[in-house]
Amino acid sequence: MNTLVLVAGREIRTRIRTRSYIVSLAISALLVVAVAFAPKVFGGPDTYDVGVVGTAPAAGAQVKYRTYPDEAAVRKAVLDGDVDAALVDDRTVVARGELDAKLGLLLESAHRDARIRASGIEVTPLAVRSIGPDARYQGVRTGIATLLVMVLFFLLIYSSMFVAMGVVEEKGSRIVEILLTAVRPWQLLGGKIVGLGALGLINLGVVIAAGLAAASATGLAADLPPGMAGIVAGAVAWFVLGYAFFSALAAAFGSLVSRQEELNSVLTPMTMLMTLTYVVAYLAAVQPTGTLARVLSLVPPFSSMVMPVRAAAVDVPVAETAVAAVLMLVAVAAVLLAGARVYERAVLRTGARVRLADAIR
């Protein structure tokens, strides 16, 4: 075990100082921050300033009115950008260019309500009552689930590719022959998976911290649903399981070749499986209670991405989560054993590509 820890420490020290890892870490954080600020940038202003000539409608939470003496003055205010639009004599809306669609709906609604009140008709607004757990947070939870799909997919494929590239690099340079004189194959492979997995967890931690900081800065933190700690902890746990599964596959496939140029072709089955898992997880973010999401959230390796996405979008029964975790643990153990066997038998065979069937036999 001490040898495995030493190998893991070597992987961490070697990779954490590389420019590619630092750049990827910065890009991950910036992308999450950009997603958090996107609604503020592209969603339009929270409030609108409207100039009024004549009687001003009842003020609303999203519209503030400024009174002007005549139409010429209010038109000048619109052209100068002092107000977003102008309402003249409760009949005409003046805008610079195209009227903002949301502002147009707000002014139309205020105009209609004023006409209804003037006619003496009282309209009782509909009472809206949300039912179900956290119904008022459903939109936010769907957004979190969608973001989680992209983050998990990026980190899983990125970390697994690093494992495969490291295996091919050591095999092609023949340094693995020297390393295996001092450590056992399973220790070398296990240390590589643990070390690069720790870097993946650092990346995930930076992404989570950047996302929460951006949510606080933009005011979105107040809209976050209760139980965010559980959602974050679940995402980390499922990332570890998914990484263990796919990194073992990546190491096994990577040990079959001796050149980086051959790596993409040999990893095709794994990348196709990960892409399919991503597609299913994205569908689960949109329809978390659908049959496809419920079934595949129990089936490894789909559960490594689908289950945390479902848990972020809706409340998942504890029994389903437990069953999915047990099945995923069994799958991880099986893949680690099989991957270690293939790695041990193929990593010292340099030159031509080793057939997977030959390595298994």
Side-chain angles (χ1 to χ4, degrees):
M1 185 60 66
N2 290 335
T3 305
L4 188 149
V5 174
L6 289 175
V7 175
R10 167 183 170 270
E11 292 291 337
I12 293 174
R13 290 190 299 271
T14 301
R15 298 290 181 181
I16 201 170
R17 293 178 297 199
T18 60
R19 181 179 299 178
S20 60
Y21 179 77
I22 296 174
V23 170
S24 68
L25 203 64
I27 291 176
S28 301
L30 288 175
L31 285 176
V32 174
V33 171
V35 169
F37 276 92
K40 290 287 185 182
V41 177
F42 301 104
D46 295 331
T47 59
Y48 297 93
D49 292 322
V50 176
V52 177
V53 176
T55 305
Q62 295 179 287
V63 181
K64 296 180 179 179
Y65 296 103
R66 298 181 185 179
T67 304
Y68 288 84
D70 51 41
E71 185 173 347
V74 82
R75 282 178 175 272
K76 184 178 184 303
V78 172
L79 291 174
D80 293 342
D82 296 333
V83 292
D84 298 303
L87 181 62
V88 180
D89 296 329
D90 200 23
R91 291 178 180 273
T92 306
V93 176
V94 179
R96 183 178 180 179
E98 186 177 357
L99 178 65
D100 183 271
K102 183 179 178 181
L103 176 57
L105 290 175
L106 291 171
L107 292 176
E108 182 65 32
S109 177
H111 176 73
R112 184 173 56 251
D113 291 344
R115 292 290 183 180
I116 291 175
R117 284 194 299 270
S119 65
I121 300 175
E122 292 187 6
V123 179
T124 303
L126 294 174
V128 180
R129 296 178 181 176
S130 299
I131 61 174
D134 297 334
R136 57 179 174 161
Y137 297 108
Q138 191 56 53
V140 178
R141 296 188 68 166
T142 301
I144 293 173
T146 305
L147 179 60
L148 189 59
V149 171
M150 295 184 289
V151 171
L152 286 178
F153 176 74
F154 172 76
L155 291 181
L156 283 175
I157 196 169
Y158 179 79
S159 302
S160 300
M161 287 294 292
F162 254 129
V163 173
M165 291 169 62
V167 170
V168 176
E169 180 182 351
E170 291 177 350
K171 181 178 179 179
S173 64
R174 309 291 292 268
I175 194 174
V176 68
E177 299 175 10
I178 301 175
L179 293 174
L180 289 181
T181 60
V183 300
R184 295 180 180 179
W186 70 268
Q187 293 173 327
L188 181 59
L189 177 60
K192 185 176 295 295
I193 291 176
V194 171
L196 295 178
L199 295 180
L201 282 176
I202 293 175
N203 206 332
L204 181 59
V206 169
V207 167
I208 292 173
L212 293 177
S216 299
T218 57
L220 293 176
D223 297 328
L224 293 178
M228 274 300 298
I231 293 174
V232 171
V236 172
W238 283 105
F239 167 77
V240 171
L241 292 175
Y243 167 77
F245 183 95
F246 287 112
S247 63
L249 282 182
F253 286 129
S255 66
L256 300 177
V257 296
S258 303
R259 297 185 303 168
Q260 297 287 351
E261 294 81 1
E262 300 175 304
L263 187 58
N264 287 334
S265 61
V266 79
L267 288 178
T268 298
M270 186 195 77
T271 54
M272 290 180 62
L273 179 59
M274 295 184 76
T275 302
L276 183 59
T277 304
Y278 166 77
V279 172
V280 174
Y282 180 80
L283 294 176
V286 179
Q287 296 181 337
T289 58
T291 302
L292 181 67
R294 294 188 61 184
V295 172
L296 291 185
S297 65
L298 303 176
V299 180
F302 299 98
S303 54
S304 62
M305 285 183 61
V306 179
M307 183 55 79
V309 167
R310 276 191 66 203
V314 295
D315 291 330
V316 180
V318 177
E320 290 187 21
T321 304
V323 170
V326 170
L327 293 177
M328 189 64 193
L329 284 171
V330 172
V332 167
V335 171
L336 284 173
L337 290 174
R341 176 170 295 187
V342 172
Y343 175 84
E344 182 178 359
R345 296 179 178 181
V347 75
L348 293 177
R349 298 171 62 177
T350 58
R353 173 177 171 177
V354 182
R355 295 177 55 192
L356 180 61
D358 292 340
I360 294 176
R361 287 196 298 267

